[in-house]
Amino acid sequence: HTAYRRQRQMCIRDRYIKENDVEQIYLCGFDTDACVLKTALDLFENNYEVYVLKEYCMSGAGQKIHNDTIENLKRLIGKKYVI
C-alpha cells in the first residue's frame, strides 16, 4: 500500500505538496518492504525528492528483510536518498 496515489485528478496530498512548495519529503514507517518501499518509489517516480529514514523504519518480516529492502531502495532511488 502507498501513502501517495496520483490519479487522473491531482490528489489532496499532491495538491498539498505543490501548494506548500514542499521540496523534500522524509519518509519512515512500517513495513519497509511494503508500504515504505511502494511510497518511496511512487514519490520518486513522480519526481519528488524523497528521503527514506532507515533507522525509523522496520519490517514485520524481520531485520534481514528490512536490511535487504533498504539496499534495494539505495539502488532504486539512490544511496544519498536513504539516510
Side-chain angles (χ1 to χ4, degrees):
H1 189 342
T2 183
Y4 176 83
R5 181 169 295 155
R6 185 171 182 152
Q7 298 171 347
R8 178 175 275 167
Q9 295 179 340
M10 189 180 292
C11 72
I12 293 170
R13 283 174 293 263
D14 196 44
R15 188 174 26 243
Y16 177 86
I17 291 168
K18 291 190 184 313
E19 288 175 356
N20 291 282
D21 296 321
V22 174
E23 294 180 8
Q24 299 172 331
I25 298 170
Y26 292 85
L27 182 64
C28 63
F30 175 85
D31 271 319
T32 312
D33 52 307
C35 302
V36 175
L37 174 66
K38 176 74 170 129
T39 302
L41 292 176
D42 286 348
L43 289 166
F44 176 79
E45 289 172 353
N46 282 281
N47 300 312
Y48 289 107
E49 187 175 348
V50 58
Y51 292 87
V52 176
L53 305 173
K54 65 182 178 182
E55 297 300 320
Y56 297 95
C57 298
M58 67 165 294
S59 174
Q63 190 65 39
K64 181 179 181 339
I65 299 297
H66 166 77
N67 292 341
D68 290 347
T69 304
I70 290 297
E71 290 305 311
N72 283 337
L73 279 165
K74 288 178 183 177
R75 284 192 298 276
L76 294 168
I77 67 173
K79 287 182 183 181
K80 78 176 194 172
Y81 297 107
V82 180
I83 55 177

